[in-house]
Amino acid sequence: MGQPDHTRTVTGARLRALFSGDGHLAVARRMASTTFLLRAGNAGLALVLQVLLARWMGAHQYGLYAYAWVWVLLGGGLAGVGLSAAAQRLIPEYKDRGQDGHLLGFARGGAALAILISAMVSLAAAFLVERHAGPELRLPLLLACACIPVFVAIDFQEGIARAHHWAGLAYVPAYLAQPLLILLVASGLAAAGWMLDAAVLLGLSFASLLLCWLVQWILLRGRLRSRGVVRSFEPAAWLSMAWPLLLMNGFYLLLTYVDVLVMERFVPASEIARYFAAAKLMSVMSFIMFAVQAASAARFAEYHVQGDRERLSAFARTCRRWTLWPSLAVALGLLAAGWPLLWLFGPDFTSAFYLLPLIAAGLLARAAAGPVEPLLAMAGQQKAAAAIAALALLLNLVMNLLLVPRYGAGGAVVATSLTLALQSGALVALVRRRLGIALV
């Protein structure tokens, strides 16, 4: 009778040891765990939302919405010019040096700079859409352009909160509140008999992004307020740090979404919808990588700034373990439940089941490398990582152009997964050569 109590006591002690304490590793574990739990909640909401949207809208309109939303994700990731990623490097430096004026100046001035640049990009994109988009896609793409500056503003605030290890403030607005708002409003519209199409959903996305940005801005401003501190603005230094990170992250974003962009030219919207559903389902795997990257980036920067090579190496290998094994477990679970989950989108969506193991293979190759992108970026090797990402993007584009016209969605997923595997191997080799860290 005493054995179960003893087991529970030991288990509880281990859990408390794992997540308690003020050490760097404990803080990173808490950040990664909190981030993963929030992203897991986002995955559940997103699955319910995407299933209902696919059934309410039909495969054709859902495919149009998916295509337009990819442009929001791509435009939002690029139009912020890397300032959100730069926060992971700049804020630890400012905190380590006690430069509160620089810290507050970047939070205010960096946000204004990111919004200004993204608004200019959005206007230019809207002009091109108005002139060249077909009638079916024109309004959804114009609404997607309107979403981009708000997406960038939320992304920048997320970067600030991540650098301070404020996981809830970083992720709750965009990953829980925003999809929940869309779900509630879209459910009400569907119950009232409204016709839900791509334009309506993009309009709801814009409104929900705007509301979430405002609430996040108010909360973040309250945490960062410091009386008597003179803000210091250094936009040239910010951009100098941000541009290489933009290249590295931008090439990866393009690599991630180029398959959908190529598919729009060669396959019907209904096939894009099925591919998008399969990719959304398997993207749960990437939440683990996202959580570990969120917890590790600022810590990598701190160790690099302090010149602590031993702790940097040990932490990088630890983060790789945090990424690989949970990703493998999630992949197996998703593959086991993949067919019924795809059926929820609609009976036609089960034809995309064969894509799931192909998508999983690419994501597992990336997980096996660990968070190498933030490691290289925070250690000053972002230009070399960006060069590898550029070559991977070129390879992915060529392979998609060769395979998609002949094999459709199957060709797209083979091209992207193979490229991810090759890029991950090249980044691991770069970490070993430039930083002297053996990850595998």
Side-chain angles (χ1 to χ4, degrees):
M1 294 295 291
Q3 186 64 30
D5 292 337
H6 174 72
T7 302
R8 284 193 294 269
T9 302
V10 171
T11 302
R14 287 177 178 175
L15 288 173
R16 286 191 296 273
L18 185 63
F19 296 108
S20 63
D22 298 321
H24 286 190
L25 196 60
V27 172
R29 277 195 295 258
R30 286 198 296 272
M31 181 72 177
S33 302
T34 304
T35 302
F36 177 74
L37 290 174
L38 290 172
R39 288 305 303 260
N42 168 257
L45 272 176
L47 178 61
V48 172
L49 178 61
Q50 298 302 321
V51 164
L52 291 175
L53 291 181
R55 288 188 171 270
W56 289 333
M57 300 168 68
H60 182 74
Q61 283 294 326
Y62 182 72
L64 296 178
Y65 166 74
Y67 176 72
W69 187 248
V70 163
W71 277 110
V72 176
L73 298 175
L74 186 57
L78 297 176
V81 297
L83 287 167
S84 177
Q88 310 306 303
R89 178 73 180 274
L90 290 168
I91 288 178
E93 288 189 13
Y94 293 153
K95 291 172 70 176
D96 187 63
R97 298 170 183 170
Q99 296 175 321
D100 292 342
H102 290 73
L103 195 68
L104 296 174
F106 176 69
R108 181 70 60 86
L113 186 60
I115 293 171
L116 176 62
I117 295 173
S118 62
M120 295 170 61
V121 170
S122 179
L123 287 173
F127 176 78
L128 294 175
V129 167
E130 188 63 38
R131 288 177 62 90
H132 300 292
E136 195 172 41
L137 272 171
R138 183 175 292 118
L139 183 55
L141 287 177
L142 287 173
L143 290 167
C145 291
C147 289
I148 288 174
V150 192
F151 186 97
V152 167
I154 291 178
D155 186 54
F156 181 82
Q157 291 177 165
E158 177 187 313
I160 295 292
R162 280 174 55 190
H164 287 282
H165 309 294
W166 299 331
L169 184 55
Y171 302 118
V172 168
Y175 296 108
L176 291 182
Q178 197 254 346
L180 183 59
L181 284 171
I182 294 177
L183 178 61
L184 293 175
V185 177
S187 299
L189 292 177
W194 276 58
M195 179 65 182
L196 294 178
D197 58 16
V200 171
L201 262 295
L202 266 297
L204 288 179
S205 298
F206 172 76
S208 60
L209 282 171
L210 191 63
L211 180 60
C212 290
W213 165 77
L214 180 61
V215 173
Q216 187 185 43
W217 176 75
I218 292 171
L219 295 174
L220 186 62
R221 186 180 181 186
R223 290 201 183 189
L224 292 174
R225 183 174 296 152
S226 181
R227 296 180 180 178
V229 176
V230 179
R231 294 180 176 86
S232 178
F233 299 97
E234 297 180 323
W238 303 338
L239 291 175
S240 177
M241 176 66 69
W243 281 116
L245 298 173
L246 171 65
L247 291 176
M248 184 182 72
N249 294 332
F251 285 135
Y252 177 74
L253 272 175
L254 287 167
L255 186 154
T256 303
Y257 298 122
V258 72
D259 46 9
V260 175
L261 304 182
V262 172
M263 287 175 67
E264 195 274 335
R265 307 298 299 174
F266 298 105
V267 303
S270 57
E271 187 167 356
I272 295 177
R274 288 188 286 271
Y275 179 81
F276 190 75
K280 277 288 185 182
L281 185 60
M282 297 308 294
S283 69
V284 175
M285 290 176 59
S286 66
F287 293 173
I288 297 167
M289 173 68 80
F290 182 90
V292 176
Q293 286 182 339
S296 62
R299 197 66 68 199
F300 286 148
E302 290 175 19
Y303 293 154
H304 175 69
V305 169
Q306 296 165 3
D308 196 337
R309 184 66 58 181
E310 183 178 348
R311 295 178 80 182
L312 180 65
S313 300
F315 187 57
R317 287 189 287 271
T318 297
C319 288
R320 178 182 174 272
R321 292 193 298 273
W322 289 352
T323 304
L324 175 58
W325 302 116
S327 296
L328 178 59
V330 171
L332 294 174
L334 289 172
L335 292 175
W339 196 95
L341 288 174
L342 284 172
W343 180 84
L344 293 174
F345 288 84
D348 292 343
F349 284 79
T350 57
S351 62
F353 178 75
Y354 78 99
L355 299 174
L356 300 186
L358 299 174
I359 296 171
L363 293 176
L364 278 176
R366 186 165 178 252
V372 282
E373 291 97 337
L375 171 60
L376 289 163
M378 298 304 106
Q381 300 297 324
Q382 59 267 30
K383 292 182 180 179
I388 291 175
L391 292 174
L393 170 62
L394 180 61
L395 174 63
N396 194 27
L397 177 60
V398 171
M399 291 178 66
N400 269 281
L401 290 172
L402 290 174
L403 297 176
V404 168
R406 187 169 182 179
Y407 300 106
V413 74
V414 167
T416 300
S417 292
L418 182 58
T419 304
L420 281 175
L422 293 173
Q423 182 193 19
S424 298
L427 289 172
V428 168
L430 182 63
V431 169
R432 180 189 292 269
R433 186 170 64 252
R434 293 288 181 88
L435 304 180
I437 299 175
L439 294 172
V440 294

